Amino acid sequence: MDCYDLTSMTWKEVEESLKTVQLAIIPIGAHEQHGPHMVESCDAVLAERMAKKLGQRMFPYALVTPTVNMGVSQHHLNFPGTISLQPTTLIAVLKDIVSSLKHHEIEKFLFLNSHGGNQSTLNVASMMLSNELNVEIYYAKTTASAKKAIKENVTSTLFGHSCEREVSEALYLAPELVRLEKLEKGDIQEEGRWKQLRPGKAIQGFYYYEEMTNNGCIGDGTKASWEIGQQIVEEALDNLSKELYTLLDLKVNVQQ
């Protein structure tokens, strides 16, 4: 066994793992539209695959939980098939997971998130649950720390959803998520209030995704490749594992 994956372990195996496990990695995704070329389970599957790879890097000090496969996706709801949780629902689910694992004496947690729409909720959840349950909770976007690889390979000024970055990650981690014959670049709305509300602007606010893109994509998925995905994913895993070893105060060589 090179990863403590709770979904494929017996209770006896879990009992043995708890002799060394200090951290639970909780993958969190979403079920939402990803344009014409990615399936709607994309975020959940990518969160799970990243969590298992990170669990291998952190073995035997981390345990990977089942994936929370729906998230806060209200902004995608007008595209068919999207299922959205309320932020309070997601926080309640996470509270129950953390409470259950604390009962088994795990007291440090990483919410490993693959959906940008979850980030603000996870910020609040981290603060609330750390205090309520007397545990340590960290959160991270799966590949956001891979700044070098993203800068070298992503050329679109507007990207982040079914784009060259996300499609590349899928080609590396879970190619079955991608409809290669249907790859499109984002069909961006030239005008609209969405431009004033994007991250980095003076004022932030809610808008529906179709206000920004007609086909549900931004960026250019046609430029994606397995090689780009490998660079982004592996750089992110290097950064995540290095930071976690430091936070856990483990004197172990980190796999590079």
Side-chain angles (χ1 to χ4, degrees):
M1 188 178 295
D2 65 350
C3 174
Y4 288 139
D5 177 11
L6 194 55
T7 61
S8 58
M9 297 170 72
T10 68
W11 76 262
K12 281 287 190 180
E13 291 168 340
V14 176
E15 183 179 57
E16 181 65 23
S17 77
L18 292 176
K19 294 177 181 178
T20 57
V21 164
Q22 297 186 31
L23 172 81
I25 300 169
I26 304 176
I28 304 169
H31 186 94
E32 62 184 29
Q33 74 85 18
H34 271 77
H37 55 247
M38 299 189 83
V39 304
E40 298 202 348
S41 64
C42 170
D43 286 340
V45 175
L46 293 181
E48 179 181 317
R49 301 290 170 88
M50 281 291 291
K52 289 180 180 179
K53 281 186 173 290
L54 185 57
Q56 291 174 331
R57 298 285 190 106
M58 299 302 301
F59 183 81
Y61 304 109
L63 179 150
V64 179
T65 77
T67 301
V68 179
N69 64 354
M70 286 178 278
V72 180
S73 300
Q74 188 72 29
H75 48 307
H76 292 289
L77 201 56
N78 290 331
F79 286 89
T82 297
I83 299 173
S84 181
L85 303 183
Q86 293 296 324
T88 50
T89 305
L90 179 57
I91 292 173
V93 170
L94 292 171
K95 181 177 181 179
D96 287 351
I97 294 171
V98 170
S99 297
S100 297
L101 293 172
K102 187 184 178 185
H103 186 75
H104 304 302
E105 301 184 350
I106 299 175
E107 297 187 345
K108 296 182 181 181
F109 301 86
L110 173 67
F111 296 156
L112 188 62
N113 173 45
S114 64
H115 169 50
N118 290 336
Q119 282 293 96
S120 58
T121 299
L122 296 181
N123 187 344
V124 174
S126 174
M127 176 192 67
M128 287 178 57
L129 301 184
S130 292
N131 288 312
E132 287 182 27
L133 303 176
N134 193 27
V135 294
E136 292 181 28
I137 297 180
Y138 317 117
Y139 66 99
K141 187 75 163 51
T142 48
T143 61
S145 67
K147 299 185 185 302
K148 180 180 177 182
I150 291 172
K151 183 177 180 180
E152 290 177 353
N153 293 289
V154 177
T155 58
S156 301
T157 55
L158 180 66
F159 68 93
H161 192 73
S162 235
C163 59
E164 56 264 52
R165 176 194 58 75
E166 190 168 37
V167 175
S168 293
E169 291 168 15
L171 291 174
Y172 181 61
L173 291 169
E176 68 275 14
L177 300 175
V178 182
R179 304 281 195 266
L180 287 172
E181 72 282 3
K182 296 182 179 180
L183 287 173
E184 294 183 10
K185 65 184 300 184
D187 182 9
I188 305 301
Q189 299 273 23
E190 291 301 323
E191 302 297 332
R193 69 191 186 101
W194 67 269
K195 288 187 173 182
Q196 293 178 262
L197 302 175
R198 290 288 295 170
K201 295 295 184 178
I203 296 175
Q204 305 288 289
F206 177 81
Y207 57 89
Y208 284 102
Y209 228 64
E210 67 270 20
E211 295 181 57
M212 179 172 59
T213 168
N214 293 307
N215 64 354
C217 307
I218 58 177
D220 189 352
T222 67
K223 297 180 179 179
S225 72
W226 183 95
E227 290 77 13
I228 293 173
Q230 180 187 40
Q231 291 178 47
I232 293 172
V233 166
E234 296 300 329
E235 181 184 342
L237 289 169
D238 286 347
N239 293 332
L240 290 166
S241 56
K242 181 178 180 180
E243 293 300 323
L244 286 172
Y245 271 96
T246 300
L247 284 167
L248 298 176
D249 195 25
L250 293 169
K251 308 300 182 184
V252 178
N253 291 325
V254 180
Q255 178 184 345
Q256 295 295 331

